[in-house]
Structures are given as structure tokens and as C-alpha cells.
Amino acid sequence: MNYQIDLQNREQLSLNSSELSDIKELYQQRNDSLDAFKQASLPSRKVEHWKYNDMTFLKEGEFELATQTRPMPTSYPAIAIEDAIELHFNNGVLANDLAALDLPQGLRIRKLQECSADKISLLAKMNQVNEKNMLLNLNQALCDNIIVIETLDNVQLNQMIYIKHLTSDLQNNAIASSQIFVMVGRSSELSILEQFESELTNAITLSLQQSFFQLSENSHVKHYRLNVEKDSAHQVGQVKATLEKDAVFDSFYLGLGSKLNRTDIDILHQGNNAHVELNGIYLPANEQRIDYHSNIEHQVPHCTSNEIFRGIIADKSSAVFNGKIHIFKDAQKSDAFLNNKNLLLTNQAEVNTKPELEIYADDVKCAHGATVAQLDDKSVYYLQTRGINKKRARKMLSIAFIQELVNKVKQDAVRKHLVSLLDDYMSHID
Amino acid sequence: MLKINNLHAKVEDKDILKGLSLEIKPGEVHAIMGPNGSGKSTFGYVLSGREGYEVTDGEIEFEGKNILELEADERAKEGLFLAFQYPVEIPGVSNMEFLKASIDATREYQGKEPLDAVSFMKLAREKCQQVNLDQNFLKRGVNEGFSGGEKKRNEIMQMMLLEPKLCILDETDSGLDIDALQVVADGVNACRDGNRSFIVVTHYQRLLDYIVPDYVHVLSNGKIIKSGGKELALELEEKGYSWIDKL
């Protein structure tokens, strides 16, 4: 099955014939997404949501969906998480034999095509047309690799679900495409870590990945999304979560590496007293570009959100942070906090940050702020007068800038992994 | 120990030091007094090697070595210590991490064995106690949320840990009440061992009641215009800085 996508002649495209496209509950949604993809402009500086990123490489030639599942050797250290339930996506395709997984009681992991019609309809709803990011619409129209992770009600899952996404050994102009769909039952708890890795390549490749979370009443999800791709990777992804009454979604992001990493985070508060915690660190270096667009919708009253992102921008790299909080008219007593701080390490480093509040209710508490700064010369000098050389002093101050966020990672194994990634990063920057 | 000859320095094209000369022998305590804007703080920054403070003429020899080409951290590791008037706050870097990095770097430069974590902690706790700082200070960010007195005591504690050859105390008395002043002075006096030298930079004579100098120098318009014994400080206190303009 070779599905060609010529982005310059998009109007020619029609849905590919695949197992998933043939499911009637999905057909309409996939067709709508494809139509939206055809009609939208390609990501360029003329499009508001892509203002600061260059995706012109997409215009070169025809793209093809990757179908390779051969496991590739990788240079990344494994994460030492005890008893983790591991899933591997190689170039978007699931490499595990799901039947062979030894899963605890109350947890189910299946391919979407094995799910019941009502589950499929639910996912189709999550996959509604995206107004801002046409590449996500492309993924929604074409994605054949959809895995559903599901817990029953009242399940406290102690084992972490660790999902490794690897792109490697791809042909030029290949697109890796996948989705995961996590449905958490009432009063259930789940933790999940996604790590994105890639091999360095001369080929132009694009990875499209979306993770959907549906949190039922009083459920708790801890989520980590670590992007540690090599400098050649283009990754466009999305995390989208809907929260019912009393649900808590605690979601942590790391942007490290890749040629371009664009991640959209969409949080929908749909039940009273739901809470979301979004924390993120982005550390572009060399000529990397990292772009986080978050959007938190307080659709109902009494919900809270707390969002802190910090970025250190080195060399000639650039970062974009766009954080929007949208309080609906009926969402009284909403409490939302958003803060973004950036540290520029060189004169060529660039950051564009835009916190946005859109408030239609009149009894809410909202705070937002953003700063951009350079390392404080006085602090560097102070450390130097105590015998610490300049390079080390700059590193200590850089780590200090993100320490607060590292401390927020409470799971020891994940924090250790994070610290080792950061140490490695710090040893490569000036 | 320290020989400064005809030192000229400028900051952002403004000449601040204009021919300062000074010689300090091991074990001596020199006070440098002067009105605001006379170049007292600049002197400390130039000695310690702060970027942006450009030496345009003259020499600084420390322990027989020309230190003008050395970076600030190298001068520190050679044994030069500056206690700041306004120590910066560095949230996110714990005092402990900072002191360990400082001691490790200094010992490595001096060819000494690194301190293991246990010996370091023991030493740091002991020094904390000596300057009356609670041990919890080690866990907090460097100077983060410290009171003025706590910041100054932290400076003295660092001095005790690093055991420098020459200490420059920049207006260490500013913002201190009498009790805090006593603690700081006791710390300094405890470090006087007959070899270690001190430059005490101050606006007021008060500090010199606690840290008694061997020599007093008056700095005005970037030059030392008068030197004498400790009685010079009293004379200056009595007559005021306007007196020196007439010298």
C-alpha cells in the first residue's frame, strides 16, 4: 500500500483504502479532515499559527506514508522504569504483538479496528477537524496506526505505560503517522510516558503523532511527553485531553533536539472541578526549532489550570511558545495561571512568546505572564569570584533556571532520566 | 603579597582609578576609606577581575605573579577573595551545591585532593556555626531571601571555607546592626593568622573598631591621597570627608 501525497496538488487526494477508512463510524470524520487539509494553506509565515516556523520543505516532491516496522538499533539509553508496560512504535507502526503483552487487571490495549462501534465513534469525535494545524488534519485523515489504551472504572495502575516512538531508516519524503487514544475509567489512575527518538538522517522525513486522553469522572492521569529527536527530525504532534468532573491531568513536556518540533496541547475542561497541570521545558540548540502551542478551554465552572513553561534557547536556535486560556461564558469561578520564562544564551537565539487570555465569564481568577532574559552577568561574575569558571557558572545558572520544573517530576525514575538527559544537553552547549 | 603600581582603570569609557599604588605584606590589614564615588568598589572589582572593568595602565602583582591577564575565577583560585557589598541572589542554585563547586574548583586548581561529600558537609556545617548561620541555609538558594546580615555572614563563611591569601571586604559593614557587625568582625578576626592579608573597604570608621587595621588609606578621585596608621580613620571620622578635599 503506497499512498502518495503531493502537497502541491492536494485537491487530487482522496482517502486511502485501508481497514480503518472502511469503518463507517470513521469515514465521515476522515473525509472532513481530508477536506480541511486540502483547503488550508500550507504552513508558512503567512499563516497565524505557523507565523514563526518554516515548513517550506513540505513543498518539495511527493510524500509517502511509512509502513516499516523493522526494529532499528538506537543510540538512546533505555529508561530504567521498573515493571513498565512497553509499547514501541517504529516509524509510526506498532512493533509489539499486543496479544503477547502481560497486562494487569482492568487494563486493555487494542488496535482501534478491534474496538466496538461506540468506542470508534468516541475517537472520531476527538479527531474533529483542527482549525489551526492542517498537518494534524492530514494525520486524522490518513492515520492507520491507532492504538486504544483503556482502563475500567476504579483501577489504580501502578505500572507505568512507556511508549517509545522511533523514526529511523526512512526513505526521503516519508511520513510516519500514528495516534494513541487513552480512555481512563471513573476514579482510575494511570501514568504514561511517551518518548520520541529518531536517528540522524539526510532524508527529509515528517513524523505526525497525536495522543488523545479521555479522563472520566475523578480519574487521575500523569503524563510525560519527551521529545529527544536528533537534529534532522520534523515532528508535528498533538496532545488533546478532555476532563470530566473532578478529573486531574498532570502533563509534563520536554523539547530537546529535532530540526523542528511542533506540539499542540489542547485541554478541554468539560466537568466541574477538573484540574490540569501543564509543565514544560524546551531547550533548542544548534539550529533547532521548537514550538509549543497550548490551549486550555474552561468550558464549565469551577475548573482550575496551572501552566508553567521554561525555555533555554542556545546557539542559533529558536523557540515559540503560545499559551492560550479560554474561559467560556458559563465557566464562573475558573482559576487559571499561566507563566512562561525564557533564557537566551546567545545573541542569535530567538524566542517568540505569546500568552493569551480570552475570558467571557465575569467571576474568574486568571494570571498570565511571560519574560525573556539573558543570563545575569552579575551572577556569573559572583560565581567566578568563588573559583567557578565561566562555562561552569553559565551551566549552573542555566540548570537553576529550569530546576523548579525538574523538581515537579515526582516519579524518581522519570526525574533521574530527565536529569541525565539534561546533563547530556548541558555538556554540549556553551 | 600584593603590589599595585600606578593603576588606571575605566568603566564604560569613564576613568575611575587614576594612578592608584598600594603595597600589602603578608598578615597586614589595610583599610581603604573614601567618600561615595571615590572608586572604592571599582577597586575591588578591578582586583577581582570583573568583566567591563578595563585596566588601561599600571600593574597588579599578586604573590609575584602578574594577575591582570587572569580571569576572575583564576584569581580566586590563586587566593584572592572579594566579599561583596551586595551579594547577588541566585535562586535555583543551592548554597550547598554552590559551595561544593567552589571548593572543588579551588582545590583542583591548587593541586589538592577533592573533599568527599561527608568531609565537605562536616566542614560546611562547622563554618555555618562559626558565623551563626543555621544549617538550613545550606539547602536554600544562594542568598535567596536572605536578610542583609545573613548575606554578609554567608560571605564570611565562604571566606572561611576557601581560606584565601588576600581578602577584600567591600563595605562589609553596610546595612549591619551592631550584633551582626560583631559576628562578621569575629569571623574576620578568626581568619587573621599572621599570613592572611585584608583590605577593608569602608565608608565609616565604625567597622575599624572591630577589625583593627595596620594602615589606613584615603581614596579620593581614583587615587590614594593620604596614608597613615589607624588614628587616620578617627581623624577622618571627626573632620569629615570634606577635610580631605583641602589636603
Side-chain angles (χ1 to χ4, degrees), chain A residues 321-390:
Chain A
F321 176 80
N322 190 308
K324 183 174 169 183
I325 294 169
H326 179 175
I327 314 258
F328 284 51
K329 190 163 175 287
D330 295 329
Q332 300 296 0
K333 304 284 180 194
S334 291
D335 188 336
F337 176 85
L338 164 65
N339 184 266
N340 171 236
K341 289 185 183 174
N342 297 281
L343 187 60
L344 299 176
L345 292 185
T346 69
N347 291 334
Q348 289 95 47
E350 180 183 320
V351 65
N352 289 283
T353 172
K354 188 164 103 181
E356 291 178 82
L357 291 179
E358 203 172 308
I359 304 173
Y360 297 100
D362 54 18
D363 185 13
V364 301
K365 209 169 116 189
C366 289
H368 74 316
T371 63
V372 178
Q374 292 188 293
L375 277 179
D376 177 31
D377 289 342
K378 273 192 226 158
S379 300
V380 175
Y381 166 60
Y382 185 78
L383 295 178
Q384 278 191 284
T385 64
R386 300 304 181 248
I388 298 164
N389 70 37
K390 201 182 204 172

Side-chain angles (χ1 to χ4, degrees), chain A residues 6 33 44 49 54 81 101 111 152 183 189 194 200 226 228 235 264 329 350 363 370 377 386:
Chain A
D6 182 348
S33 291
S44 77
H49 292 282
D54 182 9
I81 298 173
L101 283 178
K111 292 185 172 169
L152 299 174
M183 303 173 77
E189 285 178 29
E194 305 178 88
L200 205 55
L226 314 178
V228 293
Q235 149 91 21
D264 287 10
K329 190 163 175 287
E350 180 183 320
D363 185 13
D377 289 342
R386 300 304 181 248

Side-chain angles (χ1 to χ4, degrees), chain A residues 249-263:
Chain A
F249 186 55
D250 183 347
S251 188
F252 182 92
Y253 299 81
L254 174 69
L256 187 61
S258 80
K259 185 166 189 178
L260 184 136
N261 164 17
R262 161 71 181 254
T263 303

Side-chain angles (χ1 to χ4, degrees), chain B residues 41-81:
Chain B
S41 285
T42 298
F43 176 57
Y45 294 150
V46 169
L47 265 183
S48 68
R50 183 170 185 173
E51 264 178 34
Y53 288 71
E54 195 192 336
V55 173
T56 51
D57 199 7
E59 295 100 45
I60 306 178
E61 214 177 75
F62 179 59
E63 296 276 82
K65 205 184 241 179
N66 172 16
I67 59 166
L68 284 179
E69 295 303 316
L70 297 183
E71 296 274 331
D73 60 289
E74 293 167 320
R75 297 186 196 193
K77 287 179 282 207
E78 287 286 340
L80 207 138
F81 183 91

Side-chain angles (χ1 to χ4, degrees), chain A residues 49 126 128 130-133 136 140 210-213 215 237-243 249 251 253 262-269 276 278 293-297 299 307 322 324:
Chain A
H49 292 282
M126 285 291 253
Q128 62 193 211
N130 194 298
E131 305 291 335
K132 298 177 294 189
N133 191 334
L136 297 178
Q140 291 171 185
Q210 290 168 285
S211 295
F212 299 129
F213 293 84
L215 283 79
Q238 185 189 25
V239 171
K240 183 173 175 182
T242 58
L243 281 72
F249 186 55
S251 188
Y253 299 81
R262 161 71 181 254
T263 303
D264 287 10
I265 304 163
D266 291 280
I267 308 294
L268 313 176
H269 277 323
V276 67
L278 295 182
H293 267 62
S294 75
N295 175 36
I296 303 174
E297 295 195 349
Q299 298 178 352
E307 178 172 5
N322 190 308
K324 183 174 169 183

